[in-house]
């Protein structure tokens, strides 16, 4: 199976898209943590339809005109991580949750640290909105794309 990639400039900096040609497997801020290394066998394709849709939706989101994304997603991770990431997609635009609330959402209220670790490994930033998860005391905690970008996204959504 071929792996495709493209880049996009956004208010949070340079973004790397990765796809199997059908769905996004990664959307990462290149200045952040956990950015996949572009493989020698990866194909750069800026015109891939899934990348075009992701660009249009991100641009609309940053312009304040989009609250929910429709681009197809295919994140790769453990079953637990996928449950955590699915729960993230249920946190509405303009709202936040704590790590404890997110752990309760997946039916594992004692798994707060594991939920935090899974959030940190979220391969599809912004669209799978881990930026909407904050500390129990209301502080901004951990964000692979940088806390300044987490604050930017929450301001964009009217939270800060």
């Amino acid at each position: 199976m071929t792996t495709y990639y493209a880049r996009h400039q956004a208010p949070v900096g340079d973004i790397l898209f990765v796809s199997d040609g059908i769905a996004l497997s990664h959307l990462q801020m290149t200045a952040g943590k956990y950015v996949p290394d572009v493989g020698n066998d990866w194909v750069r394709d800026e015109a891939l339809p899934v990348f075009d849709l992701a660009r249009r939706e991100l641009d609309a989101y940053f312009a304040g005109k989009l609250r929910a994304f429709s681009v197809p997603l295919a994140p790769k991770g453990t079953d637990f991580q996928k449950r955590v990431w699915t729960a993230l997609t249920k946190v509405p635009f303009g709202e936040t949750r704590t790590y404890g609330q997110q752990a309760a959402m997946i039916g594992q209220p004692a798994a707060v640290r594991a939920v935090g670790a899974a959030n940190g490994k979220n391969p599809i930033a912004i669209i799978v909105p881990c930026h909407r998860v904050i500390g129990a005391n209301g502080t901004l905690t951990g964000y692979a794309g940088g806390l300044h970008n987490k604050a930017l996204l929450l301001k964009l959504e009217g939270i800060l």
Side-chain angles (χ1 to χ4, degrees), residues 77-139:
T78 66
D79 288 341
F80 178 80
Q81 288 172 325
K82 289 178 183 179
R83 286 187 18 238
V84 169
W85 301 334
T86 296
L88 286 170
T89 65
K90 294 174 178 26
V91 179
F93 180 97
E95 295 184 21
T96 59
R97 299 290 185 271
T98 65
Y99 293 96
Q101 289 171 320
Q102 189 183 11
M105 283 176 64
I106 65 164
Q108 293 188 246
V112 176
R113 286 182 184 260
V115 163
N119 279 1
K121 295 283 184 150
N122 172 17
I124 304 176
I126 304 168
I127 294 173
V128 177
C130 57
H131 61 276
R132 295 180 188 152
V133 181
I134 59 173
N137 62 0
T139 59

Side-chain angles (χ1 to χ4, degrees), residues 2-151:
T2 303
T3 301
Y4 300 92
Y5 75 99
R7 298 191 180 277
H8 184 60
Q9 280 299 313
V12 293
D14 186 48
I15 291 176
L16 174 69
F17 296 134
V18 180
S19 174
D20 59 5
I22 298 167
L24 282 182
S25 60
H26 290 82
L27 184 162
Q28 296 290 326
M29 295 164 220
T30 61
K33 298 178 185 176
Y34 313 119
V35 180
D37 290 326
V38 174
N40 290 333
D41 57 340
W42 289 18
V43 176
R44 186 168 186 155
D45 187 345
E46 299 291 336
L48 199 66
V50 68
F51 295 155
D52 184 53
L53 177 58
R55 277 188 200 93
R56 284 184 283 127
E57 288 190 345
L58 279 175
D59 290 347
Y61 169 81
F62 283 114
K65 297 177 180 175
L66 182 79
R67 293 176 170 229
F69 294 88
S70 66
V71 65
L73 307 177
K76 295 182 181 14
T78 66
D79 288 341
F80 178 80
Q81 288 172 325
K82 289 178 183 179
R83 286 187 18 238
V84 169
W85 301 334
T86 296
L88 286 170
T89 65
K90 294 174 178 26
V91 179
F93 180 97
E95 295 184 21
T96 59
R97 299 290 185 271
T98 65
Y99 293 96
Q101 289 171 320
Q102 189 183 11
M105 283 176 64
I106 65 164
Q108 293 188 246
V112 176
R113 286 182 184 260
V115 163
N119 279 1
K121 295 283 184 150
N122 172 17
I124 304 176
I126 304 168
I127 294 173
V128 177
C130 57
H131 61 276
R132 295 180 188 152
V133 181
I134 59 173
N137 62 0
T139 59
L140 301 188
T141 59
Y143 189 64
L147 286 179
H148 64 290
N149 279 329
K150 184 172 189 165

